[in-house]
Amino acid sequence: MCAAFFSLCCAAIFVLLLTGCNPTAGATEYEVIYPSGYSRDCYTYDEKSPIEGSSCYLQWEKADDYEKTYDYDIHILDEKGSVLYRYPDVGSKAMRGNVQEDGKTWVCAEHWTAPHHNGYVEGWLKESNLLLIDLSDGKILFQDKAGENEFYITTYGTRCYFYLPGKEESEKMFGLIKISAENAVIYYRDTSDWTQKYTVYTFDYVTEPDIDTSNGVLTRIKFYISENQLKVAWTSYEPVGNGHWEYLEKTAYEILFWQMCFSG
């Protein structure tokens, strides 16, 4: 009884903290899960992270002029931790990397503004730097940016795929102009013409699907990346008994690899 009561109190305090002075309270969290099992979410503060599909690592370091610019450098480390390559002023504390079939590596350095989190909170993504790097010599083969709330998922060939949350219906000019709601989507940008966006999947919701999260305190989207498909699972952090809490899957969308490659 005492243990159960203590767990209940902790959960209540947790909810109060979320809804008190935290401006991110109620926002949906993101988590990216790679085939190796490595994942990143808003509580991942690793100084270095593995490059999926290789023995190398990404590491952030404050730039020489950090006190003025707040920029970070990207270091690529070998399996022993030695620095192979350095890229000044394009890194962040939230970085992901994965090797493609041709052996080239995509690196995404995300700039989030969510307080009390290391990114991965919906609505708080400022921009991202994306780089295609040849690990054999460190040469940057492609480099550009993604904009506000464009959440990078993965790359197939020359196409970089993003998740963009939907927008509620809104008004301008004191209600004279009505702007229709937009559903959440997945789209890609191609390195041959980065300015264009091509939608490949439109979800059946604007902000979240019709799911029951009444027993939960947090909602999280889990992006499972595999060789053949992308799974987008909506989960709710809920009690499962004996004082334990888990992210329970409420609904999931499975998008096959060929759909991603041949749409558009």
Side-chain angles (χ1 to χ4, degrees), residues 51-90:
I51 296 177
E52 182 74 12
S54 80
S55 59
C56 296
Y57 292 84
L58 293 171
Q59 183 184 51
W60 58 264
E61 184 172 280
K62 291 181 178 179
D64 292 339
D65 57 351
Y66 175 81
E67 300 302 327
K68 293 182 178 179
T69 64
Y70 298 103
D71 286 338
Y72 290 88
D73 298 343
I74 295 176
H75 290 182
I76 293 183
L77 314 178
D78 63 18
E79 57 186 354
K80 296 181 180 178
S82 300
V83 177
L84 293 174
Y85 311 111
R86 294 180 173 88
Y87 305 94
D89 305 324
V90 292

Side-chain angles (χ1 to χ4, degrees), residues 1-11 242-243:
M1 284 291 291
C2 291
F5 179 74
F6 177 74
S7 298
L8 184 61
C9 290
C10 288
N242 297 323

Side-chain angles (χ1 to χ4, degrees), residues 6-19:
F6 177 74
S7 298
L8 184 61
C9 290
C10 288
I13 292 171
F14 183 56
V15 173
L16 288 173
L17 288 174
L18 285 173
T19 57

Side-chain angles (χ1 to χ4, degrees), residues 35-240:
S36 65
Y38 175 74
S39 67
R40 286 198 70 95
D41 61 22
C42 56
Y43 305 111
T44 305
Y45 285 89
D46 301 337
E47 186 176 339
K48 67 176 185 178
S49 57
I51 296 177
E52 182 74 12
S54 80
S55 59
C56 296
Y57 292 84
L58 293 171
Q59 183 184 51
W60 58 264
E61 184 172 280
K62 291 181 178 179
D64 292 339
D65 57 351
Y66 175 81
E67 300 302 327
K68 293 182 178 179
T69 64
Y70 298 103
D71 286 338
Y72 290 88
D73 298 343
I74 295 176
H75 290 182
I76 293 183
L77 314 178
D78 63 18
E79 57 186 354
K80 296 181 180 178
S82 300
V83 177
L84 293 174
Y85 311 111
R86 294 180 173 88
Y87 305 94
D89 305 324
V90 292
S92 74
K93 283 191 173 183
M95 295 193 294
R96 290 179 281 135
N98 62 295
V99 174
Q100 301 299 294
E101 290 183 356
D102 58 4
K104 306 302 188 294
T105 296
W106 277 96
V107 175
C108 179
E110 300 158 332
H111 299 275
W112 299 83
T113 58
H116 316 305
H117 300 81
N118 191 25
Y120 299 89
V121 180
E122 189 167 278
W124 295 83
L125 178 56
K126 182 180 178 182
E127 67 175 16
S128 302
N129 293 323
L130 284 108
L131 301 89
L132 178 61
I133 298 172
D134 188 340
L135 288 183
S136 66
D137 57 11
K139 183 179 180 180
I140 296 177
L141 306 175
F142 175 84
Q143 181 177 353
D144 217 313
K145 294 180 179 291
E148 187 176 17
N149 295 324
E150 291 186 81
F151 184 65
Y152 172 72
I153 302 173
T154 191
T155 301
Y156 292 123
T158 60
R159 297 178 175 182
C160 295
Y161 291 83
F162 301 86
Y163 174 81
L164 185 70
K167 295 181 180 179
E168 297 279 12
E169 184 181 66
S170 59
E171 297 179 349
K172 286 186 176 181
M173 299 292 293
F174 304 102
L176 295 176
I177 300 176
K178 295 186 180 296
I179 302 174
S180 300
E182 297 179 12
N183 283 22
V185 297
I186 289 177
Y187 59 80
Y188 72 83
R189 293 176 181 268
D190 196 289
T191 56
S192 63
D193 186 359
W194 195 252
T195 62
Q196 297 298 314
K197 302 177 184 178
Y198 300 92
T199 299
V200 298
Y201 192 90
T202 301
F203 292 90
D204 58 1
Y205 62 86
V206 175
T207 55
E208 68 174 39
D210 184 15
I211 52 178
D212 181 10
T213 59
S214 57
N215 293 325
V217 295
L218 289 172
T219 304
R220 173 175 289 195
I221 310 177
K222 296 191 175 187
F223 297 89
Y224 294 90
I225 300 171
S226 67
E227 182 179 354
N228 298 316
Q229 71 174 22
L230 168 69
K231 178 181 176 181
V232 181
W234 278 79
T235 67
S236 177
Y237 193 58
E238 300 181 7
V240 293

